[in-house]
Amino acid sequence: MPTITMNVNGKTVAANVENRTVLSTALREELGLTGTHIGCDTSQCGACVVHVNGKAVKACTMFAVEANGADVDTIEGQAHADGSLNVIQQAFQDHHGLQCGFCTPGMVMSAAALLKENPKPTEAEIRAYLEGNICRCTGYQGIVNAIMAASGQSAAIAAE
């Protein structure tokens, strides 16, 4: 089995993986980072979104060996060093952007990618960006409100 090395959440890590192992499985099973959820294994739900070299990717669609040498950011790396929530995570909590929590890691990672690309998105832009993420509990309005708030805009805009 090949050994891959990645910079995950700012730390260099190595793992032995089979060539067919997808990144989501390597993160969960080899590195113990279980915040990256596996929902569908077919790239439909977005629960496995991570950032690879600064870009949001569905980790179930990428082989772990493809991430060799890459910078990978997961939900575990989003909180501040002292463990407090970052602005996006706090907004999800404050604006009821989560319910069961299964989709939340992927939603937060997608929101972070969106806000990096577009710091002040409209409600329509948020909804379009999240088309690859499925939530079966919230009805999405709380998620949209949370992203609006995290961008420094009034969440009331999305509630109208």
Side-chain angles (χ1 to χ4, degrees), residues 83-104:
S84 63
L85 302 179
N86 74 12
V87 67
I88 298 169
Q89 293 170 309
Q90 189 63 55
F92 268 70
Q93 182 176 337
D94 293 345
H95 295 277
H96 311 289
L98 60 117
Q99 192 165 333
C100 82
F102 193 81
C103 72
T104 305

Side-chain angles (χ1 to χ4, degrees), residues 60-133:
C60 74
T61 63
M62 180 178 190
F63 290 114
V65 294
E66 293 178 285
N68 189 34
D71 290 323
V72 178
D73 294 309
T74 70
I75 191 67
E76 288 89 350
Q78 294 301 297
H80 298 293
D82 66 0
S84 63
L85 302 179
N86 74 12
V87 67
I88 298 169
Q89 293 170 309
Q90 189 63 55
F92 268 70
Q93 182 176 337
D94 293 345
H95 295 277
H96 311 289
L98 60 117
Q99 192 165 333
C100 82
F102 193 81
C103 72
T104 305
M107 289 287 188
V108 168
M109 296 304 290
S110 291
L114 168 61
L115 295 178
K116 183 178 176 186
E117 289 176 24
N118 181 356
K120 298 287 185 196
T122 65
E123 177 183 359
E125 290 169 331
I126 292 168
R127 289 183 183 278
Y129 198 90
L130 294 179
E131 283 182 355
N133 294 71

